[in-house]
Amino acid sequence: MSRGRGFTARQRAYLLSLPAVRSVGAVRIRYSEGFREECMRRYGRGESPRRIFSDAGLDPEIIGAKRIERCIARWRKESGVDPPGRVPGGAVRGEVRDGSDFGARLDALERDVKALREAVGI
């Protein structure tokens, strides 16, 4: 997709030939319900959005990488699906957001490492 110009007639014809696509306008794609469900199922298992869309014939070079990001964000919000390692709101499990408990977390990890070393005799 050319920036700001929409899809060409050839691109629209190609996109309409894909089972993942319900309809295509000059600048908008509507996806089939089945594709959306499959997309969220695979995303929930940890597959990358780019891979999921590419496997369906929706190459980022044609539809745009930003469109893929926005679709995933919108569908995640609607479905509540988060990939493994993520918690609602987008934080990675165990991620320190504001740094306030970094020191305490580091101390706990150092204690764990020390205990493990003693247990294995290192």
Side-chain angles (χ1 to χ4, degrees):
M1 179 172 168
S2 300
R3 184 178 259 175
R5 290 187 242 170
F7 298 110
T8 65
R10 185 179 175 137
Q11 288 171 327
R12 285 197 307 266
Y14 168 73
L15 291 169
L16 279 171
S17 74
L18 301 173
V21 176
R22 187 175 70 199
S23 66
V24 180
V27 293
R28 184 173 180 174
I29 302 172
R30 287 194 171 97
Y31 302 94
S32 70
E33 193 61 35
F35 174 68
R36 288 175 59 154
E37 290 169 2
E38 179 67 12
C39 189
M40 286 294 92
R41 202 172 12 259
R42 290 175 63 182
Y43 181 72
R45 289 192 310 249
E47 291 186 53
S48 80
R50 186 180 186 107
R51 164 69 76 165
I52 298 165
F53 274 70
S54 291
D55 287 353
L58 297 160
D59 191 316
E61 295 297 318
I62 296 172
I63 67 170
K66 194 67 172 176
R67 183 184 306 267
I68 294 171
E69 290 175 24
R70 284 190 225 134
C71 284
I72 292 294
R74 185 174 59 251
W75 297 344
R76 264 182 68 194
K77 188 175 181 181
E78 292 170 3
S79 68
V81 170
D82 280 311
R86 290 228 169 261
V87 294
V92 175
R93 284 193 183 103
E95 177 180 55
V96 178
R97 287 203 166 215
D98 62 4
S100 62
D101 66 343
F102 182 75
R105 184 159 169 75
L106 181 60
D107 289 343
L109 290 170
E110 286 175 341
R111 283 191 302 274
D112 290 347
V113 168
K114 183 179 178 183
L116 287 170
R117 283 185 173 161
E118 289 173 358
V120 294
I122 300 178

